[in-house]
Amino acid sequence: MGTPTHVYSRALLRERYSALDTAFAGYPHDLHYAIKANATLAVVREMRAAGGHADANSGGEIELALRAGFSPDQIVFTGVGKTHDELVRAVTLGVKAINAESPGEMERIQAIAATHNTVARVAVRVNPDVDAGSHPNISTGHKTTKFGMSVVQAYAMVTEMAQRPNLRVVGLHVHIGSQITDSLPLTQAAATIATMATTLAAQGITLEHLDIGGGLGIAYEPGQRVLSPEEYAAAVLPVVRPTGLRLVLEPGRWITGPAGVLLARVVDLKTQADGRLFVIVDAGMTDLIRPALYGAWHEIEAVIPRDGAAVDCDIVGPVCETSDTIGKQRSLPPVAVGDLVVVRDTGAYGSVMASNYNRRPFAAEVMVDGRSWRVVRRRQTVDDMLQWEA
Ligand code: LLP
């Protein structure tokens, strides 16, 4: 296939979906796979085949979910800035829940539903004001962030919604961030909406589900302490159980992250004046932006390690920015131009965050299934890249 290429394991996708599903088996729940983590059609279809539902964050992800075979009642639609067209589409499809983020959005959904003579199923996204303890760029549950509404605002909005003829309040939603490795914020967030649901029930407003979002972290570095699915379930089920409401989860990274790697080839080696060795590969921030954007760590290994003493190096891409780094201060076996390296845990927020910066085409994507493999997205060509331009 050439390089760079994203490679996914079908077995691992299935295995991880089922590990998470099994951890929650003792309580009524739906896993709505967060499409944003990996939106390649073959991956999303795999999540559906495994029994999952879908979490969409844009009109594009709604369309993708439909093409992957999900029915509207299996889709929840979240997003901090939904456009009129996106809302019209979601309302007329009749998705399972539109997670509303503001009073203005509630009014727009009501108006659209009235125009189309229908009743929209709406949930309210609550900002529980908890610190997810993750990287600031991907922590969303603090009151200073743009996401959701405070508990006080959310109560007012649910009460208001219950009066609207074209809205049906079906749930409460929280998502406090991603790559969370501590159970406490997850418990606090779930407890916030569970308590609200109980209070609302006492006022005669009965919901259908509690949506606790995604966020479960994975071990990017060897030995990194993360929560197991069982620990995750133990952190949230005790607070959700008393409500008796169906639980909705929106996992992304935990399922697809470790099920993908990025293959790249060494294109040059050089030692700078200060003695630093650079291993320059043909994958860069256009294929995997996480190290540049969040200082994220991904394990990097030689596919066929050569004998000899390990070398200290920075592994970098070809893009014209110093931020275009895949791994800083790493140790690799001796490498030569032409060698293949593998970057691990790139199955989530890898290909979905790719760009054509420097007119670099999107990498190919391959699904390995047992001893066979197939191309699930061919490498983009220059013609593909230019096809919309006049
Ligand atoms: N639900 C909502 C509403 C979300 O915003 C997200 C992720 C998820 C579910 C899935 O979260 P997960 O289970 O994957 O943690 N690009 C960043 C991650 C951004 C996450 C955005 N929202 C990264 O590469 O680390």
Side-chain angles (χ1 to χ4, degrees), residues 16-17 19-21 23-24 31 34 37 132 134 138 140 174-187 212-220 224-236 249-258 290 348-349:
R16 294 187 70 87
Y17 177 92
L20 203 50
D21 197 33
F24 285 88
L31 295 190
S134 183
I138 55 172
T140 51
V174 276
H175 171 79
I176 57 167
S178 196
Q179 186 53 20
I180 298 169
T181 56
D182 180 12
S183 63
L184 184 64
L186 293 165
T187 306
I212 59 168
L216 189 59
I218 60 171
Y220 284 103
Q224 187 180 350
R225 172 85 189 96
V226 294
L227 298 170
S228 66
E230 292 71 28
E231 288 170 315
Y232 180 35
V236 297
L249 300 106
E250 302 172 349
R253 185 193 315 265
W254 197 88
I255 299 175
T256 61
R290 304 195 66 257
Y349 308 110

Side-chain angles (χ1 to χ4, degrees), residues 32-37 55-57 78-79 99 101 125 134-135 137-140 147 173-180 211-217 220 232 249-256 288-290 293-294 296 298 348-350 352-353:
H32 283 248
Y33 167 61
I35 291 175
K36 64 168 74 70
D55 161 34
N57 205 72
T78 310
N99 292 326
E101 297 251 359
R125 179 163 183 181
S134 183
H135 190 282
N137 291 14
I138 55 172
S139 294
T140 51
F147 300 96
H173 177 234
V174 276
H175 171 79
I176 57 167
S178 196
Q179 186 53 20
I180 298 169
D211 181 343
I212 59 168
L216 189 59
Y220 284 103
Y232 180 35
L249 300 106
E250 302 172 349
R253 185 193 315 265
W254 197 88
I255 299 175
T256 61
L288 178 69
I289 202 174
R290 304 195 66 257
L293 201 52
Y294 319 112
H298 285 264
Y349 308 110
V352 281
M353 295 181 81

Side-chain angles (χ1 to χ4, degrees), residues 8-340:
Y8 308 122
S9 158
R10 183 169 182 235
L12 212 43
L13 284 171
R14 291 283 187 119
E15 223 171 84
R16 294 187 70 87
Y17 177 92
S18 120
L20 203 50
D21 197 33
T22 306
F24 285 88
Y27 192 80
H29 69 279
D30 295 307
L31 295 190
H32 283 248
Y33 167 61
I35 291 175
K36 64 168 74 70
N38 187 317
T40 300
L41 204 45
V43 171
V44 179
R45 283 194 181 122
E46 212 54 65
M47 294 295 98
R48 178 171 172 269
H53 295 184
D55 161 34
N57 205 72
S58 68
E61 287 188 356
I62 290 178
E63 300 309 324
L64 189 102
L66 295 172
R67 288 181 201 200
F70 292 101
S71 55
D73 65 356
Q74 295 177 318
I75 301 173
V76 292
F77 179 32
T78 310
V80 84
K82 305 179 195 77
T83 64
H84 177 78
D85 290 353
E86 286 174 326
L87 288 175
V88 169
R89 182 71 169 139
V91 168
T92 53
L93 277 170
V95 298
K96 170 166 160 173
I98 302 176
N99 292 326
E101 297 251 359
S102 75
E105 187 171 88
M106 174 192 73
E107 298 297 350
R108 290 189 286 275
I109 300 169
Q110 159 62 34
I112 290 166
T115 304
H116 291 87
N117 206 12
T118 184
V119 176
R121 296 169 55 83
V122 183
V124 175
R125 179 163 183 181
V126 179
N127 182 319
D129 192 22
V130 299
D131 178 3
S134 183
H135 190 282
N137 291 14
I138 55 172
S139 294
T140 51
H142 194 261
K143 64 180 175 196
T144 56
T145 68
K146 65 182 176 180
F147 300 96
M149 280 167 290
S150 73
V151 169
V152 172
Q153 290 172 310
Y155 269 126
M157 197 161 107
V158 172
T159 318
E160 184 61 39
M161 277 176 166
Q163 323 284 326
R164 300 302 171 103
N166 301 88
L167 298 177
R168 170 159 173 68
V169 200
V170 294
L172 295 169
H173 177 234
V174 276
H175 171 79
I176 57 167
S178 196
Q179 186 53 20
I180 298 169
T181 56
D182 180 12
S183 63
L184 184 64
L186 293 165
T187 306
Q188 288 170 335
T192 302
I193 54 171
T195 306
M196 288 182 69
T198 307
T199 308
L200 290 167
Q203 295 169 7
I205 300 176
T206 320
L207 305 174
E208 294 176 18
H209 70 248
L210 292 178
D211 181 343
I212 59 168
L216 189 59
I218 60 171
Y220 284 103
E221 293 186 54
Q224 187 180 350
R225 172 85 189 96
V226 294
L227 298 170
S228 66
E230 292 71 28
E231 288 170 315
Y232 180 35
V236 297
L237 285 183
V239 296
V240 168
R241 201 180 289 279
T243 67
L245 293 176
R246 198 167 179 88
L247 181 62
V248 168
L249 300 106
E250 302 172 349
R253 185 193 315 265
W254 197 88
I255 299 175
T256 61
V261 297
L262 175 61
L263 278 180
R265 204 173 280 282
V266 177
V267 291
D268 198 9
L269 294 163
K270 71 171 165 184
T271 308
Q272 288 300 47
D274 72 345
R276 221 176 170 84
L277 173 65
F278 286 96
V279 174
I280 303 157
V281 298
D282 62 2
M285 64 193 291
T286 49
D287 309 292
L288 178 69
I289 202 174
R290 304 195 66 257
L293 201 52
Y294 319 112
W297 180 283
H298 285 264
E299 281 289 288
I300 304 170
E301 291 162 50
V303 171
I304 303 171
R306 294 171 184 272
D307 292 336
V311 289
D312 293 331
C313 58
D314 283 0
I315 296 134
V316 298
V319 174
C320 58
E321 295 203 11
T322 305
S323 61
D324 183 31
T325 297
I326 299 188
K328 266 192 190 146
Q329 292 171 4
R330 299 302 177 93
S331 172
L332 279 183
V335 282
V337 170
D339 285 2
L340 274 179

